[in-house]
Structures are given as C-alpha cells and as structure tokens.
Amino acid sequence: MKVLLPLFCLIILSGCKAEVNEDENISQEMDTTMLAKNISLPNTEVELLPEAREHAVRWVNYITAQNEIYNLRSASVNQIIENAKPISQIMQSLKATVPDTLQSKAVDARLNVLSTKAQVLEQLASRRNKNLEQITKTAEEIPIEFNHFKLQLNELFLKSLEDFEFELDELEREQDSISRASRRIQDSV
C-alpha cells in the first residue's frame, strides 16, 4: 500500500508534465512563426512639402530615421527585436538634434511620442519573456508616428490665412492691370 500511493502520484505527475510539455511545444511553434512574420505597415507615406524637404535633407538624423523606418517595411519581428536598441537610439538622437528652423512645440511633441514608442519597443525587446504581440504592435506604431511627425513638419511651412489673402490681392491687382492693358490695346486699334 505504501508503494502504491507514491507510484500513483508519480503517474499523475508525469501525465500533467506531458500536458505542460505539449503546451510549451505549441507555444514555441507559435513564437517561431510570429518571429518570422513581417509587421504590417501603413501603405500610405506622408511626403514632405518642398520647403520642409529642403530643411530635412540637411538633417542627417532625419535621413537616418527615415531609412530605419523604410527598413521596417521588410523586417521580421525577430529582426525588429535585434534592432530595437539602435531604433531607440536613432529616435532619441533625432529628438535631440532638431534644427532651429524646425523647432516648434508641435514638432517636439511628435518627437517625444516617437522617441517614447522606440524606447518602449527597446524595453519590450530586452525582456526575458518577450511578448511578441506587444512588440509587433509597438513596432507597427512607430512608422505611423513618424508619418505624424512628417505631417507636423509640413504644417510648419503651410501658408497662413494672411498669406493667402495677400496672394489673392496680388492676383487681383495683376488681373486688373492686365484687363486695363487689354482695353487700352483694343481702344488703340
């Protein structure tokens, strides 16, 4: 009887352990599949206005960040995990080196969000037990935030209402002078 009780417990424990091992194998299979999967990024990319592009092409950290965002398009989750620290460093240096011509509270706010997302990605990637779904979600948000940042850069160079009114006045004066000149030509003929 004393021998049967430990034997019975051993059989029950080995059965439980087999179930745990099966769950671990399924989890590892899912993780391997998820690691090889590419993240989904937005199809639309914000293009900088010519004035904004003129300033951005001279900003080395912007070009580096743009290239990193472009590289995310073909990156797997595993590659993103490996590059999380450099992505974070690039976004932090982007934030730290904004040219004076592009300084504004709105641009700083967008850079804060972008830098924070990159730091969150770095933290998620450095954990021992990685949550691949969170890593994927965060990595997918970074290009979206970069597009928002580029929109904010574009807004710095949009014309104000006063500028439009001035242009309309100039256009009106130009059309008036053209119409007066054409009347003089017709009168002289």
Side-chain angles (χ1 to χ4, degrees), residues 11-183:
I11 291 171
I12 289 174
L13 288 175
S14 66
C16 292
K17 184 169 173 127
E19 288 178 20
V20 170
N21 285 341
E22 285 176 23
D23 289 343
E24 284 179 11
N25 288 342
I26 291 170
S27 175
Q28 286 175 348
E29 248 178 58
M30 286 175 50
D31 286 351
T32 304
T33 304
M34 187 104 172
L35 282 172
K37 179 182 162 193
N38 286 3
I39 63 169
S40 61
L41 297 174
N43 292 332
T44 58
E45 184 177 334
V46 173
E47 293 293 325
L48 289 178
L49 294 173
E51 298 89 358
R53 189 177 313 115
E54 187 177 308
H55 292 277
V57 295
R58 289 184 261 141
W59 185 11
V60 175
N61 290 1
Y62 172 83
I63 294 169
T64 305
Q66 177 71 40
N67 287 337
E68 195 62 41
I69 296 297
Y70 182 77
N71 290 338
L72 284 177
R73 293 191 180 286
S74 60
S76 67
V77 175
N78 190 43
Q79 290 168 327
I80 290 169
I81 290 170
E82 291 172 2
N83 292 328
K85 186 172 180 104
I87 290 170
S88 177
Q89 290 171 342
I90 288 168
M91 296 310 163
Q92 287 175 7
S93 66
L94 180 70
K95 179 182 167 195
T97 61
V98 179
D100 292 338
T101 55
L102 300 176
Q103 282 286 343
S104 78
K105 288 183 182 181
V107 169
D108 289 342
R110 284 294 169 194
L111 285 171
N112 280 336
V113 171
L114 190 58
S115 177
T116 302
K117 292 278 183 189
Q119 289 173 352
V120 167
L121 178 65
E122 180 184 3
Q123 288 174 353
L124 290 171
S126 65
R127 288 184 181 168
R128 174 175 267 184
N129 296 325
K130 294 171 180 40
N131 184 332
L132 298 181
E133 289 176 9
Q134 281 184 323
I135 291 171
T136 301
K137 182 178 180 266
T138 305
E140 289 171 348
E141 291 172 351
I142 290 175
I144 293 169
E145 294 302 332
F146 194 75
N147 274 339
H148 293 164
F149 163 65
K150 291 195 304 188
L151 280 172
Q152 208 59 59
L153 288 178
N154 281 341
E155 285 186 17
L156 291 175
F157 297 96
L158 290 178
K159 295 180 181 176
S160 68
L161 185 57
E162 293 82 21
D163 293 336
F164 281 119
E165 288 174 354
F166 179 75
E167 284 182 17
L168 283 174
D169 290 342
E170 287 293 313
L171 185 62
E172 195 174 289
R173 279 187 234 130
E174 186 178 306
Q175 287 178 344
D176 286 345
S177 65
I178 291 172
S179 65
R180 278 186 256 132
S182 64
R183 274 190 240 134

